């Protein structure tokens, strides 16, 4: 630990030198590369220890001591905290760019465009600014898109990539089970990010249908979803209703699965006399009767022709429940009257 503390402390001193000392005028590419190496080291230390409170505390103490000694050398020096270590390369870069002593050759290295980076000895630092600029520009270009896009720019890009990959696999004649395996591995392994995954799937299904290849990929994804009840359940309960509606509008197969799921949810409901409403009698209720009604209305709005068949079906179910016009006896009867209010 001693050694780590020492190394972190030295790197923080290096950051101060990079930003404030005229020693920078002597820097060459090798110094630059080494500086970024140490900055990366600190980022690594951060990601390794940030959730360890004990180590974190020790580090913060060390950084306070370093802060104090640096204050003496560089008046106006601003403290580098433990959480600043997360973006140490960025701090280093900004410090360098603000230092008037930075040699022009170093400046050129930082701004080199990627075409001439190949076979460069200092590959890691060459063009680092150009890279940042490209990232920032991309963010800037994408930002208005993310406001326009219901699913968000991230999910949209990932959805498109998913479509491309699926298209490629299907057109190369991969065995279907391999394609399914691929879908399982990318779409079901994200325990912590279920909602994001739902958005990616929605984005994939909402990419404009252009080529036959794209239609085939979307069909494949929809069929795969039909047998994934949990995933479908999550899609229906986690996606914003505007997106659900678009999906139901755009894809017959989704519409069918969605309608099937709503009917399944209805059969799982039981009338609670004490509460005076339909509730899911399984342990954990996620969809209320109210929500279920809203889902049916959303489906009918997305595709009015579904309404007639579905209501006809509900009427038959109601008849088989005894056809009473009394609340609480048939979930179908109560849904019908709620839907036609
Ligand atoms: C600290 O830095 C030195 C090089 O100056 C390196 O040899 C050593 O492995 C580093 N220690 C740790 C714990 O990272
Ligand atoms: C700290 O985070 C890492 C992953 O970033 C994880 O593997 C580790 O279990 C976490 N430790 C604690 C104490 O939370
Ligand atoms: C850094 O050191 C200066 C001088 O001792 C002190 O005034 C300042 O509060 C310190 N900053 C932090 C965040 O500890
Ligand atoms: C009812 O609960 C069961 C078990 O928790 C669940 O699988 C089902 O999706 C729920 N139905 C609704 C409509 O919430
Ligand atoms: C839910 O209600 C139905 C109808 O009353 C009943 O058959 C079923 O066993 C109940 N399920 C649970 C999990 O309580
Ligand atoms: C029901 O939900 C609670 C809290 O959300 C959870 O602790 C419990 O395990 C769940 N029970 C079942 C059967 O899913």
């Amino acid at each position: 630990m001693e050694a780590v503390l020492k190394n972190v402390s030295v790197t923080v001193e290096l950051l101060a030198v990079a930003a404030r000392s005229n020693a920078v005028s002597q820097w060459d590419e090798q110094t630059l590369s080494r500086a970024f190496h140490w900055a990366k080291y600190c980022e690594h230390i951060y990601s390794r220890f940030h959730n360890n409170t004990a180590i974190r505390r020790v580090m913060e103490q060390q950084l306070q001591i370093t802060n104090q000694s640096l204050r003496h050398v560089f008046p106006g020096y601003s403290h580098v905290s433990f959480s600043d270590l997360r973006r140490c390369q960025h701090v280093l870069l900004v410090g360098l760019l603000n230092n008037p002593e930075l040699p022009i050759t170093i400046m050129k290295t930082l701004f080199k465009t990627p075409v001439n980076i190949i076979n460069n000895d200092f590959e890691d630092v060459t063009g680092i600014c150009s890279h940042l600029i490209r990232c920032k520009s991309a963010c800037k270009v994408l930002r208005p898109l993310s406001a326009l896009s219901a699913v968000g720019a991230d999910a949209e890009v990932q959805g498109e990539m998913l479509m491309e990959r699926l298209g490629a696999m299907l057109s190369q004649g991969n065995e279907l089970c391999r394609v399914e395996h691929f879908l399982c591995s990318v779409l079901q392994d994200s325990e912590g990010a279920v909602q994001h995954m739902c958005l990616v799937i929605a984005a994939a299904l909402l990419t404009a249908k252009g080529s036959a290849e794209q239609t085939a990929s979307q069909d494949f994804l929809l069929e795969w979803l039909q047998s994934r009840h949990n995933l479908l359940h999550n899609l229906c309960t986690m996606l914003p209703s505007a997106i659900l509606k678009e999906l139901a509008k755009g894809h017959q197969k989704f519409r069918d699965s969605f309608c099937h799921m709503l009917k399944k949810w209805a059969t799982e409901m039981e009338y609670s006399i004490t509460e005076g409403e339909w509730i899911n009698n399984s342990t954990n209720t996620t969809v209320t009767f109210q929500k279920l009604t809203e889902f049916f209305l959303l489906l009918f709005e997305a595709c009015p022709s579904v309404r007639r068949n579905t209501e006809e079906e509900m009427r038959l179910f109601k008849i088989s429940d005894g056809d009473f016009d009394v609340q609480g006896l048939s979930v179908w009867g109560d849904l019908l009257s709620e839907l036609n209010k």
Side-chain angles (χ1 to χ4, degrees):
M1 203 62 231
E2 277 297 306
V4 175
L5 284 176
K6 176 108 206 319
N7 286 355
V8 167
S9 177
V10 167
T11 309
V12 169
E13 285 167 12
L14 173 73
L15 292 178
V17 167
R20 296 171 183 271
S21 164
N22 57 11
V24 164
S25 63
Q26 304 302 316
W27 279 29
D28 57 14
E29 285 185 320
Q30 194 165 16
T31 332
L32 183 72
S33 179
R34 244 186 280 134
F36 274 96
H37 164 84
W38 282 110
K40 271 185 222 156
Y41 170 87
C42 282
E43 288 179 8
H44 174 74
I45 295 297
Y46 176 87
S47 62
R48 176 94 170 65
F49 296 120
H50 73 280
N51 57 0
N52 183 321
T53 23
I55 294 188
R56 197 180 169 127
R57 195 168 318 120
V58 176
M59 293 257 177
E60 309 247 15
Q61 276 162 4
Q62 176 63 52
L63 288 171
Q64 298 258 327
I65 297 169
T66 312
N67 164 54
Q68 271 164 20
S69 60
L70 282 170
R71 280 275 175 142
H72 289 302
V73 186
F74 302 111
Y77 166 79
S78 52
H79 177 67
V80 171
S81 67
F82 182 68
S83 56
D84 290 330
L85 297 184
R86 172 178 32 186
R87 41 184 205 99
C88 213
Q89 291 186 83
H90 179 81
V91 174
L92 171 62
L93 183 62
V94 171
L96 282 173
L97 293 177
N98 281 325
N99 189 334
E101 301 295 330
L102 185 71
I104 193 74
T105 48
I106 296 287
M107 190 75 100
K108 280 189 179 155
T109 300
L110 291 172
F111 277 95
K112 232 172 234 164
T113 43
V115 269
N116 32 19
I117 292 185
I118 306 146
N119 297 331
N120 188 301
D121 285 341
F122 304 106
E123 209 175 316
D124 50 343
V125 288
T126 309
I128 196 166
C129 277
S130 313
H131 177 71
L132 268 180
I133 291 166
R134 282 198 310 282
C135 290
K136 285 206 117 165
S137 314
C139 288
K140 210 164 190 167
V141 172
L142 288 173
R143 199 169 302 129
L145 278 184
S146 66
L148 286 180
S149 137
V151 293
D154 270 12
E156 198 151 293
V157 171
Q158 284 172 282
E160 265 172 36
M161 281 161 59
L162 175 63
M163 277 295 101
E164 275 171 27
R165 182 85 190 107
L166 257 186
M169 290 186 90
L170 290 171
S171 67
Q172 284 161 8
N174 271 287
E175 289 161 50
L176 294 187
C177 64
R178 284 195 55 191
V179 186
E180 285 189 356
H181 180 75
F182 161 72
L183 280 180
C184 289
S185 62
V186 292
L187 295 180
Q188 291 202 310
D189 280 348
S190 54
E191 290 287 316
V194 180
Q195 183 165 25
H196 182 71
M197 222 54 258
C198 289
L199 288 171
V200 171
I201 293 174
L205 293 174
L206 291 174
T207 49
K209 274 185 272 189
S211 55
E213 185 180 278
Q214 206 157 19
T215 310
S217 305
Q218 290 183 342
D219 273 352
F220 187 87
L221 182 55
L222 284 164
E223 268 162 38
W224 179 80
L225 274 177
Q226 274 171 348
S227 56
R228 297 284 177 308
H229 278 117
N230 275 342
L231 200 50
L232 258 180
H233 181 105
N234 291 335
L235 278 177
C236 297
T237 51
M238 287 184 176
L239 286 177
S241 47
I243 296 180
L244 267 183
K245 201 161 157 184
E246 284 304 302
L247 288 174
K249 225 181 229 169
H251 295 285
Q252 158 108 44
K253 282 195 178 114
F254 183 80
R255 205 148 62 222
D256 293 347
S257 305
F258 186 35
C259 191
H260 185 77
M261 173 135 289
L262 295 185
K263 287 187 283 196
K264 179 170 163 296
W265 285 346
T267 61
E268 284 164 356
M269 293 207 154
E270 193 180 52
Y271 194 74
S272 156
I273 296 176
T274 49
E275 294 176 42
E277 61 182 343
W278 290 93
I279 55 170
N280 186 351
N281 68 344
S282 318
T283 356
N284 280 341
T285 314
T286 51
V287 179
T288 60
F289 182 77
Q290 163 79 20
K291 192 73 201 157
L292 188 58
T293 314
E294 284 167 17
F295 277 145
F296 272 114
L297 286 173
L298 182 149
L299 175 64
F300 297 163
E301 269 175 43
C303 183
S305 65
V306 171
R307 181 167 204 145
R308 196 161 24 89
N309 289 342
T310 309
E311 290 196 340
E312 190 48 42
E313 213 175 343
M314 287 181 174
R315 244 170 245 118
L316 292 176
F317 287 143
K318 180 188 170 214
I319 290 171
S320 70
D321 281 342
D323 204 13
F324 298 105
D325 284 319
V326 178
Q327 193 194 351
L329 289 182
S330 164
V331 72
W332 308 107
D334 288 359
L335 272 173
L336 273 171
S337 72
E338 203 60 31
L339 291 171
N340 289 296
K341 248 185 187 160

